[in-house]
Amino acid sequence: MEYEAFPTSLEKLADWQVYPEHVTLGEGDTPLVSLEDLAGETAIRTLHLKNEGANPTGSHKDRMSRFVVQRALEAGASTVAAASSGNAGVSLAAYAAKAGLSCVVVTTSEMNPTWRRAIEMHGATLLAAASPERRWEVVAQRARSREWFPATNFSLPAVGSNPFGVDGYRSLAFEIFRDPEGRQCTDIVVPTSRADLLWGIARGYRDLWTAGFLDLPPRVHAVEPFPRLSRALAGEDYRGTFPGSSALTSIGGSTVTFQALDAIELCKGSAAAVGDAAAQADQSRLARAGFYLELSSAAALSGLRALVANGVIGREASVVLIGTSSGLTEVATFSHPIAAID
C-alpha cells in the first residue's frame, strides 16, 4: 500500500491510519518500559519493552482486528473469519462482537482451552480442521463464495493477513517514535511468523522517514523458532516450505511471505532463529523483571541475545523488544502441588 501524502504532525496518530474512525475497544498506546538490568545483561546501551499484552484482548492482534472489522462493515459483510490457533481468533471474535458481526474461527483440535473459552464467550463459532493447511482451504472456499470476510492468510504460498488489518501495525512505529525514550531506538526485535507485524512496523518507520521525521529508520529484526526467513534471506525460494517443530506456537509454521523479505529490506534488518530452551529461559527472566509474556513473545529477548552474539547488534545500540502478547493465556502443567499451610 502506497501513501502519496503524509500528515505534518504526529499529534494525532489517527491521521496516519487507513481508518481514522474505526471500531475500537481501547487498543494502542501500550507502555514502552525501560529494562535497565537486561540492557546491562545483554551488553547494549538501552533496552525497552513495548508491552502489547496491555491491549484489550492481551495481544498485538487488536491493532489488526479493528481495521479488519471496519473494512468488513464498509464492504457490507456479515461474517468475518480467521484461521487461527489463538490470539488472532480471540481478538477478531472480540472486535466482531463489538461491531455486531458474526465471527468464525477455523482452528485445530489442539487449540489451547483458554483461547477456546475466550472465543466462545465472545459469541464466535469455532470449527476444527485436520491441519493448519486445511484451515486455509476452508477459509479460502468460504471467502471466494463471499460467505466470509477473511481476516488472515488463506492461500499457499502464504501472503499474510488482510492488508487493511496489517496496516494497523504501522501504529506501533508511530507510537515508539513519538515516545521520547523510543525516539533514540536503533533496533527493533519482533517475534515473527508470516510477518504481518514485522512489515507493519517496518512500513511505519519507512513512512516516517519518507515524511522527513527521521534521518534513518531503526533496523527491524525478525525472530523465528527455526530457520525459515533466515534461509530465504540466504537465497532459498521463499515460496517453498520450511518445516520445523517448536513450542513457540504463535510464531510457528513452515511458510515465509514476500512481506517478510520486504520488511527486512525496508529497514535493513535481519533474522535470528532461537530454540525452545532459550525462549523458556528468557520467559522466566522477563517474568522475574515483572513481565509475564507468552513464550513466543519472550523469544524477542532470546533473539536479541543471538543478534548481539553474532555482532549484528552492537554495544551502543538502543533496542526495543516487541512483547507481542501476555503469558496469561498459556496453559501449563505442574509437577508439584502448591505448598499448603495450616
Side-chain angles (χ1 to χ4, degrees), residues 129-208:
S131 67
E133 292 75 21
R134 178 58 183 156
R135 295 179 311 171
W136 292 349
E137 293 173 1
V138 172
V139 174
Q141 290 166 2
R142 300 296 183 90
R144 288 165 185 155
S145 68
R146 301 197 175 187
E147 295 175 71
W148 297 347
F149 185 88
T152 57
N153 177 73
F154 57 85
S155 66
L156 277 173
V159 296
S161 297
N162 184 293
F164 287 89
V166 174
D167 189 85
Y169 293 133
R170 291 167 58 245
S171 60
L172 271 157
F174 306 148
E175 288 177 18
I176 294 169
F177 179 75
R178 190 172 63 174
D179 189 293
E181 296 287 337
R183 188 159 295 192
Q184 307 305 315
C185 173
T186 62
D187 296 85
I188 300 178
V189 183
V190 188
T192 298
S193 178
R194 281 173 288 279
D196 295 339
L197 179 59
L198 186 80
W199 185 89
I201 294 171
R203 180 72 249 186
Y205 269 107
R206 190 72 176 187
D207 292 342
L208 289 168

Side-chain angles (χ1 to χ4, degrees), residues 22-23 25-28 52-68 87-88 90-92 94-95 168-169:
H22 54 81
V23 175
L25 293 173
E27 66 290 325
E52 289 292 281
N55 279 306
T57 74
S59 86
H60 68 293
K61 299 290 186 179
D62 292 349
R63 296 180 187 266
M64 178 175 77
S65 294
R66 57 181 173 169
F67 288 168
V68 170
N87 286 323
V90 173
S91 179
L92 187 66
Y95 280 79
Y169 293 133

Side-chain angles (χ1 to χ4, degrees), residues 49-311:
L49 174 71
K50 182 66 167 168
N51 186 13
E52 289 292 281
N55 279 306
T57 74
S59 86
H60 68 293
K61 299 290 186 179
D62 292 349
R63 296 180 187 266
M64 178 175 77
S65 294
R66 57 181 173 169
F67 288 168
V68 170
V69 165
Q70 188 63 38
R71 182 61 178 172
L73 290 171
E74 293 203 358
S78 60
T79 302
V80 291
S84 171
S85 61
N87 286 323
V90 173
S91 179
L92 187 66
Y95 280 79
K98 172 68 173 179
L101 294 173
S102 297
C103 178
V104 178
V105 178
V106 186
T107 186
T108 63
S109 59
E110 292 79 23
M111 172 176 256
N112 172 330
T114 303
W115 279 325
R116 174 179 174 176
R117 176 171 172 76
I119 289 169
E120 292 179 337
M121 286 293 289
H122 288 306
T125 298
L126 273 168
L127 300 175
S131 67
E133 292 75 21
R134 178 58 183 156
R135 295 179 311 171
W136 292 349
E137 293 173 1
V138 172
V139 174
Q141 290 166 2
R142 300 296 183 90
R144 288 165 185 155
S145 68
R146 301 197 175 187
E147 295 175 71
W148 297 347
F149 185 88
T152 57
N153 177 73
F154 57 85
S155 66
L156 277 173
V159 296
S161 297
N162 184 293
F164 287 89
V166 174
D167 189 85
Y169 293 133
R170 291 167 58 245
S171 60
L172 271 157
F174 306 148
E175 288 177 18
I176 294 169
F177 179 75
R178 190 172 63 174
D179 189 293
E181 296 287 337
R183 188 159 295 192
Q184 307 305 315
C185 173
T186 62
D187 296 85
I188 300 178
V189 183
V190 188
T192 298
S193 178
R194 281 173 288 279
D196 295 339
L197 179 59
L198 186 80
W199 185 89
I201 294 171
R203 180 72 249 186
Y205 269 107
R206 190 72 176 187
D207 292 342
L208 289 168
W209 175 78
T210 301
F213 279 90
L214 70 170
D215 294 329
L216 190 68
R219 297 183 299 171
V220 181
H221 308 282
V223 178
E224 54 187 357
F226 45 84
R228 294 174 311 213
L229 180 54
S230 304
R231 289 166 58 182
L233 290 170
E236 293 189 40
D237 189 340
Y238 76 92
R239 296 167 296 181
T241 57
F242 304 85
S245 60
S246 172
L248 309 180
T249 55
S250 290
I251 56 172
S254 60
T255 57
V256 171
T257 58
F258 176 78
Q259 69 181 2
L261 299 173
D262 189 48
I264 296 297
E265 174 59 27
L266 282 172
C267 287
K268 310 305 178 188
S270 60
V274 301
D276 293 355
Q280 288 161 355
D282 281 325
Q283 184 183 41
S284 295
R285 181 67 183 88
L286 284 162
R288 296 299 189 275
F291 298 96
Y292 177 31
L293 304 182
E294 184 187 358
L295 185 62
S296 296
S297 180
L301 178 55
S302 308
L304 169 61
R305 295 187 196 277
L307 292 165
V308 170
N310 294 335

